[in-house]
Amino acid sequence: MYNLKNLFVVLSLAIFCCVSTNVFAQNAAQGCANIEIQELIGEDTVVFSAAQRTDGITLTCDTASRILLPIGFAPGYPDPDNGYYTYEKIAYDPPIAFNPTNNNLGEKLNLPVDDCWGALFNFDYYFPPNPDSDTPGFKFFFYDESYSTVMPNSNGGLHMFNSSSPMLAYAQQQGINLYAPPSAGSYLYCPYSTSQPLPDNRDMWGSYKNPTFNSINGPWFDIHYGNASGNQGMYIKFSGEYPCRMCILTFYDIPSFGNYGNADTSNISSMIVLYETTNVIEFYLKRKPAKTSTNGSNAILGIQNIDATESLAITNNQYAPNGGTPKTQSYNNTVWEATNEAWRIKPVGELSYYYTWYKKNTEGAKKDEMQQLTPNSNNQVIANPSEDEGDTWYYCKMNVTRQEDGLEFDVWDSILIHPLNVPSLTISHNSADNAGTVAMNADSLSMYDTICAGDRVTFRFTGGDEYHFVEPTSLAAQQILNGTATVPQDPDVEKVFYKFHVINFKNGNTNDTLCQRYDSCWIVNRKVNVSIGEDTAVCDGKNVIYTEALNELVETNTYLWTFGGNPVSSSMTADFKPATTGTLTLKLTDNRNCSATDESQITVVKYPVVDITGTKDICNGNSTKLTAEHDAGETSYTWGTAETTKTIEVKPDQTTEYVVTVTTDVAACATTKSATVNVYPIPVVECYEDAKICEQEMAKVGVIGEAEGYIWSSNDASVNQGNLPEYTVSPEATTKYTVTAYSNPELHCESSASMTVYVEKKPIPVMTMTPDYIDELTPVVVFNDKTTGIVDRIWTISDGATSTDKNFRHTFEVEDTVLTYYVTLTGITGYGCVDSITTPISVVREHHIWAPTGIYIHSNIDDNRQFKVVVDNIYDFNLKIFNRWGTLVFETDDITQAWDCTYKGEVVQSGVYTWYATYHHSDSPDRLMQKAGTFMIYN
């Protein structure tokens, strides 16, 4: 097996030895990777003419050198990040002629009907991999997949096909062999519809989506393949050599649908070309008519991926049918026409490639020897062979690496340069100020040459008789004496264009010019760029590491780092520990002895001294504020609690260590400090259960739980401010007792509990009875309990009767021996407090009062001569006697006293007198008795 790259090199060397014409020029219109040597004039790129490529280029006095540069074409892979594909209009130069004779178009595909798919074509069938070489099989990368098989259809489309294609499953369902040529009754239907532009995701038929999926449409147009006859038809051909093989699908002179049988101008001739390696698609439209009688005459020139998420359709910005005014015309489901028009769709991703320049003399001492040239940074070389060198070939090789397999190959181009038959012109230049600094090409003028910015450039000329500046205009027409000119450079200008006029005279006669030549160059002010970054700060005791950040021309740079005037490094990097704040300086000198300096201020920052202040002994349940005090300036704070403020408030439930890191804003110097917050427990206590007592009873109040001490508070003076765990109390009213238990009296780590002694007053019994006495006629009394706030009661009567009813009736026995009965009511509250009341009830008997009705003053019987009232069983008495004029003539409170019928010492007159007596019986002390009557006094 042999290496493909080496094969190309061997062939190239062989060609160098025997050719005198440009055999390496590639067809720039092709879609293969290729290279073309072009010329740089000023700053414009110019293509060599066909005559120049055939006959070579002769240098003249006016053009004593040529600046050559390569233009490479090497697309290769669809890049999804940049839109996969782009397109461009290209010259109409089909890879094969539209000529069906002598098998020029390849194999004709005979399709049985209109709107159908043709047989599958495998690239490897025409380009099988060679097992004895590194030459791979033909593959084509389309969007995100690599394909080795295509399937054409009769309407101008090409389907990219692999084993995962949904068309395969659909064909198997229909019993159709896609690898066999279709026949009548055994073909896969290819519907035609352009009612929608790309992207088009319609499911037009069955389980397989529409034909524009995963397709190349060149163009997709309603043509009638079934009516093609003779040489009209579809052809497929595989052509070329690795690494630039082509699959060519040609639609030759096929009638458009509805116009077959009409004039030839309604027929279409178009070509689709697929290139391996570059994965380029080209369309050649020999004739594309505008009108048909169906499907709106619409046509599509473009591509679409397998799921209709990506597509690209051509837009012609210079569309001018029939020589009309140019305009913009989309070729995406629109009506358009084209004649001898070509388009290229290429991947946006480029292959990897590089250039190598050579030259070979055809005459002189170096004939048959190939020299490798050193181009400038833009891959440009100057072609100015001397008369001694003679005719010289300039070759450029482009080494290309394939994207899909990494294989390399070379493509070439060349141009022949004929020398100028006058003394060789040499314009050298270097720096007039820096002996160690020379231009990039000090011995011969180069397109781009460099001196240090701010230096003066010295030009030296040989090969001419007179030298003048043409540009810059400030020096125009200035003669250069003695073949030397020194020009100062503006360091703020990037580059200056110099053009020189060189005159040769015949035999030294200044009146007889032999040749006038011009040469030019750009002098670039080589401004050495150096950067060590911004000012920085570093923590005390830490190293700083500085690197020259721009990293330009590092292969020959020299470095001198100083800090505070003292050297610290001579490499690209300075790594040292600054003791104090100061200035770090780097002087960078490049391979042309151009130098520049940059400096940075380094600030040395001390670590902050940190202290955590705040209360560090707390009771459980309390919070405290901790503050990170420090001696630094602006800082940030990071606590172990994830808080970032200077002061935090914490509420730990146990003794806890708190950590803070204080970091300076400058240099991020960090100090970590910790503090412990001691948490003292809160006593857990409770009081006795609430107590309920009656007046004058006693209860226990006390506390349960461990504590160092207790303090009671209460309205009960016997307990208030007491410190005992238990007391016996007898409050007069309901009283609350609160105890405060503490474990740390200084911090007041304490808790409280309380209990209440509920005191209920004794009830105040209230009774009523109706009537409030008894006698023989009314022995029944009704008793009513009017007491409030009790839940129960007991009635007790002295005759032995009892009751618990609120209201009850009782019948007494009226006996002569009993004058009074006693009734007792006892009330009972909810707390069980009791009290009673006893009330007597009197037994009332029949009583009589007697008074005489007449008094005889002159009677011999003493009792008949006085007036006296008789009443039994009384305890108070009052008697009044009135005459007929209402005058009170006698009054007494003594029941035993009698009136002797005198008034003011004299016996009263005869007549009627009235008496009025009030009294209380002893058995009815509350009952006032009143009696009145009249009596007659006889005188």
Side-chain angles (χ1 to χ4, degrees):
M1 297 181 66
Y2 56 89
N3 183 280
L4 186 61
K5 179 180 177 182
N6 292 337
L7 172 63
F8 273 80
V9 172
V10 170
L11 291 175
S12 301
L13 293 176
I15 292 172
F16 286 148
C17 298
C18 59
V19 300
S20 60
T21 58
N22 182 3
V23 297
F24 298 97
Q26 303 294 313
N27 182 357
Q30 288 183 343
C32 300
N34 62 75
I35 180 177
E36 183 177 49
I37 295 176
Q38 298 182 13
E39 181 179 12
L40 186 67
I41 300 177
E43 292 189 331
D44 297 325
T45 301
V46 179
V47 177
F48 289 117
S49 67
Q52 288 174 317
R53 284 193 165 274
T54 301
D55 301 329
I57 301 167
T58 301
L59 300 179
T60 66
C61 288
D62 294 331
T63 309
S65 63
R66 298 289 182 125
I67 301 173
L68 307 179
L69 75 159
I71 301 297
F73 177 79
Y77 64 97
D79 182 0
D81 294 331
N82 292 294
Y84 286 99
Y85 291 95
T86 186
Y87 68 88
E88 59 189 354
K89 194 171 187 179
I90 60 176
Y92 180 77
D93 187 12
I96 58 176
F98 281 89
N99 184 355
T101 62
N102 299 322
N103 201 31
N104 182 65
L105 296 179
E107 182 179 347
K108 187 175 183 181
L109 307 180
N110 293 313
L111 303 185
V113 294
D114 182 35
D115 294 343
C116 71
W117 289 98
L120 289 173
F121 282 87
N122 192 297
F123 298 140
D124 288 341
Y125 176 77
Y126 293 90
F127 296 111
N130 186 346
D132 297 324
S133 74
D134 292 334
T135 304
F138 187 110
K139 289 188 177 180
F140 188 81
F141 207 92
F142 186 67
Y143 281 104
D144 299 306
E145 296 288 342
S146 179
Y147 297 89
S148 60
T149 307
V150 294
M151 175 183 285
N153 66 55
S154 63
N155 286 317
L158 192 62
H159 177 74
M160 306 309 295
F161 186 91
N162 58 22
S163 59
S164 62
S165 174
M167 185 182 289
L168 180 61
Y170 180 77
Q172 291 172 348
Q173 293 176 3
Q174 305 299 316
I176 298 173
N177 181 6
L178 296 181
Y179 289 91
S183 60
S186 180
Y187 60 87
L188 196 60
Y189 176 55
C190 178
Y192 183 85
S193 174
T194 55
S195 62
Q196 181 172 316
L198 301 181
D200 183 1
N201 63 354
R202 291 169 297 156
D203 189 348
M204 290 169 50
W205 51 283
S207 61
Y208 181 65
K209 296 184 183 293
N210 77 59
T212 61
F213 276 45
N214 212 36
S215 64
I216 298 170
N217 305 282
W220 176 251
F221 190 53
D222 194 2
I223 58 180
H224 201 314
Y225 185 87
N227 281 305
S229 62
N231 289 329
Q232 294 176 328
M234 180 167 54
Y235 296 81
I236 190 162
K237 184 173 184 177
F238 292 85
S239 179
E241 299 291 336
Y242 174 84
C244 186
R245 297 170 291 194
M246 296 171 283
C247 173
I248 306 171
L249 182 68
T250 304
F251 296 85
Y252 178 73
D253 199 28
I254 301 178
S256 54
F257 191 91
N259 292 76
Y260 50 87
N262 292 344
D264 192 32
T265 56
S266 66
N267 295 354
I268 184 170
S269 291
S270 64
M271 184 181 295
I272 302 173
V273 184
L274 308 183
Y275 294 87
E276 70 170 340
T277 303
T278 61
N279 300 307
V280 163
I281 305 165
E282 288 181 347
F283 303 112
Y284 295 93
L285 309 177
K286 181 176 178 62
R287 183 175 58 247
K288 156 56 177 71
K291 296 293 183 179
T292 68
S293 61
T294 58
N295 287 297
S297 301
N298 291 338
I300 296 175
L301 189 66
I303 61 176
Q304 179 170 256
N305 71 347
I306 195 168
D307 55 7
T309 57
E310 294 288 340
S311 67
L312 179 68
I314 302 298
T315 296
N316 187 351
N317 291 318
Q318 293 296 319
Y319 182 73
N322 301 320
T325 302
K327 63 178 183 178
T328 297
Q329 173 65 55
S330 169
Y331 287 179
N332 191 6
N333 191 41
T334 59
V335 178
W336 51 277
E337 60 182 321
T339 301
N340 294 340
E341 192 172 291
W343 295 88
R344 174 184 293 151
I345 292 179
K346 62 181 180 180
V348 296
E350 283 201 335
L351 302 177
S352 175
Y353 60 88
Y354 63 89
Y355 301 109
T356 307
W357 282 96
Y358 304 91
K359 73 175 182 177
K360 184 177 77 67
N361 309 117
T362 61
E363 300 176 12
K366 295 183 178 181
K367 182 179 179 181
D368 299 334
E369 292 184 10
M370 185 175 69
Q371 296 176 265
Q372 184 170 339
L373 302 177
T374 301
N376 65 14
S377 59
N378 295 315
N379 281 309
Q380 300 161 354
V381 296
I382 295 179
N384 55 353
S386 67
E387 187 69 22
D388 293 337
E389 290 177 308
D391 292 343
T392 302
W393 282 96
Y394 285 82
Y395 303 97
C396 189
K397 177 183 71 174
M398 183 170 73
N399 175 268
V400 184
T401 302
R402 281 167 49 106
Q403 173 73 17
E404 57 265 31
D405 49 29
L407 293 177
E408 298 180 24
F409 62 91
D410 300 329
V411 292
W412 296 78
D413 194 15
S414 62
I415 195 74
L416 179 63
I417 306 295
H418 303 290
L420 176 66
N421 189 18
V422 291
S424 297
L425 175 64
T426 300
I427 305 176
S428 64
H429 53 289
N430 59 11
S431 172
D433 301 305
N434 191 340
T437 304
V438 296
M440 292 178 66
N441 189 343
D443 299 324
S444 179
L445 197 64
S446 178
M447 174 61 185
Y448 288 95
D449 294 294
T450 302
I451 66 170
C452 300
D455 286 0
R456 296 175 299 162
V457 60
T458 296
F459 296 99
R460 292 180 175 85
F461 303 84
T462 62
D465 296 319
E466 254 185 35
Y467 310 97
H468 300 267
F469 284 104
V470 178
E471 291 190 37
T473 56
S474 60
L475 301 175
Q478 177 178 323
Q479 184 174 351
I480 300 169
L481 302 176
N482 302 319
T484 302
T486 298
V487 182
Q489 297 293 105
D490 184 350
D492 295 326
V493 176
E494 179 183 357
K495 60 183 179 179
V496 179
F497 180 69
Y498 288 91
K499 186 174 182 180
F500 309 99
H501 180 198
V502 181
I503 304 174
N504 288 83
F505 301 113
K506 291 180 181 179
N507 300 320
N509 184 356
T510 57
N511 295 320
D512 191 358
T513 299
L514 171 66
C515 180
Q516 298 187 66
R517 289 178 284 179
Y518 294 87
D519 207 345
S520 63
C521 72
W522 288 92
I523 294 298
V524 178
N525 285 321
R526 184 182 182 86
K527 183 174 288 186
V528 177
N529 296 313
V530 59
S531 175
I532 61 176
E534 302 293 332
D535 295 344
T536 190
V538 63
C539 300
D540 187 22
K542 294 292 186 180
N543 278 38
V544 291
I545 300 176
Y546 272 82
T547 298
E548 201 290 303
L550 299 180
N551 200 24
E552 296 181 354
L553 302 174
V554 296
E555 71 279 359
T556 54
N557 287 350
T558 60
Y559 305 88
L560 177 60
W561 299 83
T562 58
F563 182 71
N566 299 314
V568 293
S569 176
S570 60
S571 66
M572 185 186 298
T573 300
D575 185 351
F576 70 103
K577 183 185 299 181
T580 61
T581 296
T583 301
L584 176 67
T585 302
L586 170 63
K587 180 179 180 181
L588 182 148
T589 304
D590 72 359
N591 60 333
R592 305 232 192 290
N593 205 34
C594 299
S595 62
T597 61
D598 192 24
E599 62 182 30
S600 177
Q601 184 73 12
I602 299 177
T603 303
V604 177
V605 180
K606 300 290 185 181
Y607 286 92
V609 177
V610 181
D611 185 31
I612 299 177
T613 61
T615 301
K616 300 184 179 68
D617 293 323
I618 63 172
C619 302
N620 191 7
N622 291 348
S623 62
T624 184
K625 291 184 178 181
L626 302 178
T627 300
E629 303 288 355
H630 57 84
D631 62 348
E634 297 296 325
T635 60
S636 61
Y637 308 87
T638 303
W639 293 84
T641 60
E643 293 169 279
T644 57
T645 55
K646 181 176 182 178
T647 299
I648 64 172
E649 185 171 357
V650 297
K651 189 178 181 180
D653 56 6
Q654 60 183 352
T655 296
T656 302
E657 182 182 42
Y658 292 90
V659 178
V660 66
T661 298
V662 179
T663 304
T664 60
D665 288 355
V666 178
C669 304
T671 299
T672 299
K673 186 75 173 179
S674 65
T676 299
V677 175
N678 299 305
V679 179
Y680 293 89
I682 300 296
V684 179
V685 297
E686 60 182 15
C687 286
Y688 294 172
E689 292 185 2
D690 293 344
K692 297 178 181 179
I693 63 173
C694 300
E695 288 178 300
Q696 301 177 357
E697 290 182 351
M698 294 184 179
K700 295 284 187 180
V701 295
V703 61
I704 302 171
E706 296 295 330
E708 291 185 14
Y710 310 95
I711 297 178
W712 290 87
S713 63
S714 175
N715 292 332
D716 188 342
S718 66
V719 176
N720 191 41
Q721 298 302 310
N723 56 14
L724 298 179
E726 185 180 81
Y727 287 91
T728 300
V729 297
S730 180
E732 295 180 357
T734 295
T735 303
K736 184 177 182 179
Y737 297 84
T738 300
V739 64
T740 299
Y742 55 86
S743 61
N744 188 318
E746 295 180 357
L747 294 179
H748 301 288
C749 298
E750 58 191 29
S751 63
S752 299
S754 62
M755 65 171 289
T756 302
V757 176
Y758 294 93
V759 177
E760 187 161 285
K761 293 183 177 297
K762 292 181 179 181
I764 300 175
V766 176
M767 70 169 75
T768 61
M769 49 188 172
T770 304
D772 56 358
Y773 67 94
I774 56 175
D775 55 23
E776 290 180 354
L777 298 178
T778 57
V780 177
V781 178
V782 176
F783 296 95
N784 296 291
D785 181 2
K786 300 295 184 178
T787 308
T788 59
I790 62 173
V791 297
D792 206 355
R793 71 199 56 74
I794 299 175
W795 297 90
T796 303
I797 301 177
S798 57
D799 63 0
T802 62
S803 176
T804 60
D805 294 335
K806 183 178 177 71
N807 306 306
F808 77 99
R809 298 164 62 90
H810 181 64
T811 302
F812 288 89
E813 292 291 337
V814 179
E815 299 179 0
D816 292 339
T817 59
V818 178
L819 297 178
T820 302
Y821 289 96
Y822 294 93
V823 178
T824 300
L825 173 61
T826 301
I828 304 170
T829 67
Y831 286 178
C833 302
V834 298
D835 204 352
S836 61
I837 184 174
T838 300
T839 300
I841 184 170
S842 299
V843 179
V844 177
R845 297 179 177 82
E846 286 295 330
H847 296 286
H848 303 280
I849 184 170
W850 178 85
T853 60
I855 300 298
Y856 298 98
I857 297 300
H858 302 289
S859 175
N860 294 324
I861 301 172
D862 292 337
D863 289 336
N864 293 336
R865 291 194 303 266
Q866 59 184 3
F867 183 84
K868 182 179 182 180
V869 175
V870 178
V871 183
D872 66 328
N873 195 28
I874 63 171
Y875 71 90
D876 65 346
F877 175 78
N878 178 263
L879 175 66
K880 294 182 176 63
I881 299 176
F882 301 90
N883 60 21
R884 60 177 178 269
W885 296 281
T887 300
L888 177 64
V889 294
F890 179 77
E891 180 178 10
T892 183
D893 292 328
D894 186 358
I895 189 65
T896 63
Q897 183 178 0
W899 181 39
D900 59 1
C901 298
T902 63
Y903 176 65
K904 295 182 179 182
E906 296 180 0
V907 176
V908 298
Q909 298 177 357
S910 297
V912 178
Y913 288 80
T914 302
W915 60 270
Y916 177 76
T918 63
Y919 52 90
H920 288 84
H921 290 289
S922 295
D923 55 1
S924 297
D926 296 326
R927 185 178 181 185
L928 178 64
M929 305 298 291
Q930 301 179 62
K931 288 291 186 177
T934 60
F935 65 94
M936 188 69 181
I937 294 180
Y938 299 98
N939 189 359

